[in-house]
């Protein structure tokens, strides 16, 4: 046999090695082994340990990535409430950051991907799970009371929502004035003005036809409202006004999931509008209770003669009605401003989710420089 220590070949069944004198041990099958040699055991154990460690490392599952988050970006780790795709569904493609600093968009979104929440539900969750969201909405509502300055509210929602397409899933920003919020809000105002003029013209033409024309005008108005939401978000991502009028790109994104687009752009306004409408009716009734008798008296006298009523009208009665009517209108205006702030933030956050899911190629617009 061959000595395991010095490697010298010995006569079969020799008790000691002829080269180094080490005692040789034979097993029953006739193969030699050195029981006292530490080299074999030490070599095999590390190898076995390395295999086990490698197996343990490969067995550990990797953390699931956010559906809108690039592989090299991890912002706002404390705010990880973005909607995750269900385990059974394939993960959406992730975007990557190019070496030049621009954003390379992922390929078109897979229509078969199933998300845990819809765009509107995910947007509401983002709002309510942001720290101090009630106070921030209240502050946005106060700003929304002031004309022109209220463009900041729209710009704030646009700048926050555009981050979804760039892979940044964050809570509501604390800074309200800044990050081109006013400029983006001005873009939104101009876009809404142009689309509103088109809606009025089309609705006026269709309204000539009885019933069917009216229904067609409503359908066109809803479609243009959906188009407006996506065009404003495209303008926010590109940070330029001209991107809002890429009609072909916007239509391509809109037709991918029209139901989700309707929920994101129109439904938040309908829900909040219905709730606030009931509240305003109750407030108006409460204001009118003290003067309901005076209103009835005016209505009674006015039913007889126009001239006899105004000749005998009590000026103090008019002042009393105006004294309650003016505060009532102011309260209604303030409530409407606060509710509009909620609608704006909710709507554009939902549209941001829609674009991140179904139009991920729009992220390439963010690499363009600022221009109008």
């Amino acid at each position: 046999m061959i000595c395991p220590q010095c490697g010298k070949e010995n006569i079969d069944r020799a008790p000691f090695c002829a080269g180094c004198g080490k005692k040789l041990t034979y097993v029953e099958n006739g193969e030699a082994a050195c029981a006292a040699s530490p080299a074999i055991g030490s070599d095999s154990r590390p190898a076995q340990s390395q295999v086990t460690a490698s197996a343990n490392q490969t067995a550990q599952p990797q953390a699931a990535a956010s559906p809108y988050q690039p592989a090299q970006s991890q912002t706002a780790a404390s705010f990880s409430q973005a909607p995750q795709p269900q385990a059974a569904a394939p993960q959406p493609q992730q975007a990557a950051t190019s070496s030049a600093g621009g954003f390379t968009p992922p390929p078109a979104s897979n229509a078969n991907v199933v998300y845990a929440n819809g765009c509107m539900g995910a947007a509401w969750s983002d709002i309510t799970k942001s720290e101090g969201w009630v106070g921030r909405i209240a502050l946005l509502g106060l700003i929304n009371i002031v004309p022109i300055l209220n463009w900041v509210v729209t710009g704030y929602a646009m700048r926050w929502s555009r981050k979804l397409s760039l892979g940044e899933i964050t809570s509501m920003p604390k800074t309200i004035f800044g990050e081109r919020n006013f400029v983006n809000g001005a873009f939104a105002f101009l876009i809404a003005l142009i689309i509103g003029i088109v809606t009025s013209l089309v609705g006026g033409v269709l309204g000539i036809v009885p019933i069917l024309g009216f229904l067609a005008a409503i359908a066109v108005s809803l479609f243009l409202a959906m188009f407006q939401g996506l065009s404003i978000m495209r303008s926010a991502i590109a940070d330029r006004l001209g991107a809002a009028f890429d009609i072909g790109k916007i239509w391509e994104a809109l037709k991918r999931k029209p139901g989700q687009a309707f929920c994101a752009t129109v439904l938040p306004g309908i829900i909040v509008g219905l709730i606030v409408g009931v509240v305003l009716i109750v407030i108006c009734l409460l204001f009118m209770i003290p003067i309901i008798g005076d209103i009835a008296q005016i209505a009674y006298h006015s039913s007889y003669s126009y001239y006899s009523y105004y000749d005998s009208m009590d000026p103090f009665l008019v002042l009393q009605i105006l004294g309650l009517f003016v505060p009532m209108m102011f309260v209604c205006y303030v409530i409407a401003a606060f509710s509009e702030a909620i609608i704006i933030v909710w709507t554009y956050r939902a549209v941001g989710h829609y674009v991140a899911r179904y139009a991920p190629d729009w992220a390439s617009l963010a690499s363009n420089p600022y221009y109008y």
Side-chain angles (χ1 to χ4, degrees):
M1 66 168 291
I2 298 175
C3 176
Q5 181 167 328
C6 65
K8 181 176 179 60
E9 186 176 359
N10 297 279
I11 302 174
D12 190 26
R13 292 295 177 181
F16 299 97
C17 175
C20 62
K22 182 175 182 62
K23 183 178 180 181
L24 303 176
T25 303
Y26 297 88
V27 292
E28 295 180 359
N29 58 3
E31 295 179 359
C34 181
S37 175
I40 298 177
S42 60
D43 289 341
S44 60
R45 279 193 299 270
Q48 195 174 30
S49 175
Q50 292 175 1
V51 173
T52 305
S54 176
N56 291 336
Q57 292 178 358
T58 56
Q60 294 177 356
Q62 295 181 352
S66 173
Y68 315 137
Q69 194 167 14
Q72 299 179 2
S73 175
Q74 182 67 29
T75 59
S78 60
F79 185 82
S80 57
Q81 304 297 334
Q84 298 288 343
Q86 295 180 358
Q91 293 286 344
Q93 297 286 342
Q94 294 182 352
T97 305
S98 65
S99 58
F103 193 86
T104 304
S109 177
N110 189 353
N112 297 324
V113 174
V114 179
Y115 292 88
N117 296 319
C119 298
M120 191 175 66
W124 184 252
S125 177
D126 292 348
I127 295 171
T128 56
K129 291 185 178 179
S130 297
E131 184 179 358
W133 71 275
V134 176
R136 208 153 295 137
I137 291 293
L139 182 57
L140 291 173
L142 288 175
I143 298 173
N144 201 43
I145 295 175
V146 184
I148 299 181
L149 186 62
N150 57 4
W151 294 350
V152 174
V153 178
T154 305
Y156 174 90
M158 293 165 62
R159 300 295 296 184
W160 178 39
S161 302
R162 77 187 287 270
K163 294 180 180 180
L164 290 170
S165 293
L166 307 183
E168 300 178 19
I169 302 176
T170 62
S171 60
M172 294 180 66
K174 296 181 180 179
T175 302
I176 294 179
F177 294 94
E179 294 190 9
R180 293 172 59 85
N181 289 349
F182 184 83
V183 174
N184 280 255
F187 289 169
F189 173 79
L190 293 175
I191 296 167
L193 179 62
I194 295 172
I195 295 179
I197 293 174
V198 174
T199 304
S200 300
L201 293 176
V202 174
V205 173
L206 295 176
I208 300 175
V209 182
I211 302 177
L212 292 179
F214 176 73
L215 296 177
I218 294 177
V220 170
S221 299
L222 292 176
F223 170 78
L224 290 178
M226 297 162 60
F227 187 90
Q228 175 180 315
L230 290 177
S231 63
I232 290 176
M233 183 52 57
R234 184 174 176 85
S235 171
I237 295 174
D239 204 9
R240 60 184 178 89
L241 182 60
F245 302 101
D246 296 334
I247 299 177
K249 295 291 185 179
I250 297 172
W251 167 244
E252 182 181 354
L254 179 60
K255 68 181 182 180
R256 289 174 185 171
K257 288 287 182 177
Q260 284 286 343
F262 173 81
C263 292
T265 56
V266 178
L267 204 54
I270 295 177
I271 294 174
V272 177
L274 291 175
I275 296 174
V276 174
V278 174
V279 174
L280 292 179
I281 291 174
V282 173
I283 291 176
C284 291
L285 292 176
L286 292 176
F287 270 95
M288 292 176 62
I289 287 176
I291 59 173
I292 193 169
D294 298 332
I295 295 175
Q297 182 181 354
I298 293 174
Y300 175 77
H301 286 288
S302 62
S303 62
Y304 287 97
S305 173
Y306 175 83
Y307 294 103
S308 62
Y309 164 68
Y310 279 98
D311 290 340
S312 61
M313 184 173 60
D314 186 1
F316 293 101
L317 181 61
V318 177
L319 292 176
Q320 183 180 359
I321 294 175
L322 291 176
L324 291 175
F325 182 78
V326 172
M328 179 187 71
M329 295 302 297
F330 178 75
V331 171
C332 292
Y333 175 74
V334 170
I335 294 176
F338 276 82
S339 63
E340 186 182 6
I342 297 175
I343 293 173
I344 290 173
V345 176
W346 191 5
T347 298
Y348 287 114
R349 186 65 176 180
V351 176
H353 277 286
Y354 181 89
V355 172
R357 294 178 183 186
Y358 307 115
D361 54 299
W362 287 14
S364 61
L365 297 171
S367 61
N368 294 332
Y370 294 155
Y371 64 94
Y372 303 92

